[in-house]
Amino acid sequence: MDFRQLISEHKQYTFHSHTQFCDGHAPMLDMARAAVAEGFTAYGFTPHSPIPIESPCNMSFDAVEEYIDEYRRISAMPELSSCKFYAGMEVDYLGKDWGPSNEYFKSLPLDFIIGSVHFIPSQSGEPVDIDGKYSSFAKRMLLYFRGDIEYVVHTFYRRTAEMLEKGGFDIVGHFDKVGQNASYFHPGIEDSSFYQGCIEPVINTIIDRGLTIELNTKAYAEHGRFFPGIRYLDRLVRAGVPILVNSDAHAPDRISASRADAYTILNKISAILENS
């Protein structure tokens, strides 16, 4: 998909959302109706991909065909025709043997793929979900990672860098998501030279390759942050990186959550660049 063209053609869109097929809180049809009611002209469904490990947040392999069938049914409904729907998937990168570049995902009739990291291996090699609420993250830090936040941060960004190298995705999903929980666990860590040394190779690769990223607005209202963080946006905009403003909605009433705030910040950055 040519997301540069889509960004220019559509002002009301999101290409990141979750429904009953993973950890979303509403059926696809409810989300589609909310998109139309909100005036969206483009909307992408992105269930968390099947993965070869146990996860309550990911869709099952058996549900993929049902998901595609439901997407096609919704796309053909006349009352929803004011919005163009796309069948996507948020694919977890679990290492060299599983991620967006895997042949399995190439075989699916998808319009686009978001590549994301939610799981990292513990020091003993066990895959652990480091996404989600801080209360769960804090418990897993002690249960699986011996409280070593530097290990978690370094491993998250190393895995993200590996995913960028292997490719297979159309959008890079919330590439600094670990920063939120890491900062709650160790306040100030994002300002450290250690943290910057971990994230810099990822940002450099995104810029050098002109990869399309999302500005994920899901956490802004509650936590006051976007993914990527505001501190990185000026550099990414200056470099001409294509940026999609995605709400990562898990419920119909969150479909436009903080998107206006994101556009305000992006417009301010663009205005500064134009006047400099």
Side-chain angles (χ1 to χ4, degrees):
M1 289 178 65
D2 184 352
F3 283 106
R4 287 181 185 270
Q5 182 176 349
L6 281 168
I7 292 170
S8 65
E9 291 179 353
H10 299 280
K11 296 302 181 184
Q12 283 294 90
Y13 67 82
T14 187
F15 287 93
H16 193 161
S17 65
H18 299 283
T19 64
Q20 80 272 27
F21 285 100
C22 54
D23 61 347
H25 306 306
M28 285 174 65
L29 182 56
D30 288 359
M31 299 294 278
R33 286 172 171 158
V36 170
E38 192 72 12
F40 279 32
T41 56
Y43 189 90
F45 297 106
T46 55
H48 289 290
S49 70
I51 52 177
I53 60 175
E54 290 295 322
S55 169
C57 294
N58 291 71
M59 74 187 307
S60 68
F61 286 93
D62 292 340
V64 172
E65 184 175 357
E66 182 184 354
Y67 159 60
I68 296 298
D69 287 344
E70 180 65 357
Y71 155 73
R72 289 171 175 160
R73 185 179 77 88
I74 289 171
S75 296
M77 295 176 71
E79 63 268 34
L80 302 177
S81 61
S82 62
C83 183
K84 169 66 176 175
F85 295 98
Y86 296 87
M89 194 171 283
E90 184 176 15
V91 177
D92 277 291
Y93 181 79
L94 299 179
K96 63 180 181 179
D97 295 324
W98 193 261
S101 64
N102 190 281
E103 289 297 323
Y104 169 74
F105 298 107
K106 296 178 183 179
S107 72
L108 300 178
L110 299 174
D111 295 312
F112 70 100
I113 287 175
I114 298 175
S116 298
V117 174
H118 298 96
F119 296 81
I120 66 168
S122 66
Q123 289 94 327
S124 61
E126 181 178 2
V128 180
D129 185 355
I130 61 164
D131 198 38
K133 295 181 178 180
Y134 175 68
S135 57
S136 298
F137 178 84
K139 292 176 182 176
R140 291 168 183 161
M141 278 298 303
L142 301 179
L143 184 61
Y144 297 105
F145 298 111
R146 308 168 196 163
D148 189 345
I149 191 62
E150 290 196 355
Y151 170 84
V152 170
V153 169
H154 178 265
T155 305
F156 175 88
Y157 284 116
R158 177 173 55 81
R159 282 231 151 157
T160 301
E162 290 174 0
M163 182 186 75
L164 300 186
E165 288 294 326
K166 292 187 73 68
F169 53 82
D170 300 283
I171 305 169
V172 182
H174 46 59
F175 69 79
D176 65 339
K177 188 76 180 289
V178 72
Q180 178 173 301
N181 280 332
S183 291
Y184 284 138
F185 189 85
H186 189 296
I189 191 170
E190 289 180 277
D191 298 320
S192 68
S193 58
F194 158 76
Y195 188 97
Q196 293 304 310
C198 292
I199 195 173
E200 275 298 307
V202 170
I203 294 176
N204 288 339
T205 299
I206 288 170
I207 291 174
D208 291 344
R209 298 190 178 183
L211 301 177
T212 297
I213 67 169
E214 68 171 4
L215 178 52
N216 189 301
T217 66
K218 177 184 175 182
Y220 189 71
E222 182 178 356
H223 300 279
R225 67 159 67 221
F226 296 116
F227 306 111
I230 293 173
R231 68 175 72 194
Y232 307 116
L233 285 179
D234 181 80
R235 181 177 170 193
L236 292 163
V237 171
R238 285 179 182 274
V241 171
I243 300 175
L244 291 163
V245 179
N246 285 339
S247 60
D248 194 357
H250 287 59
D253 63 351
R254 303 294 295 165
I255 204 167
S256 286
S258 301
R259 291 182 75 257
D261 298 293
Y263 275 114
T264 296
I265 291 171
L266 289 174
N267 289 337
K268 285 181 179 178
I269 294 173
S270 296
I272 292 171
L273 292 180
E274 289 174 3
N275 295 322
S276 62

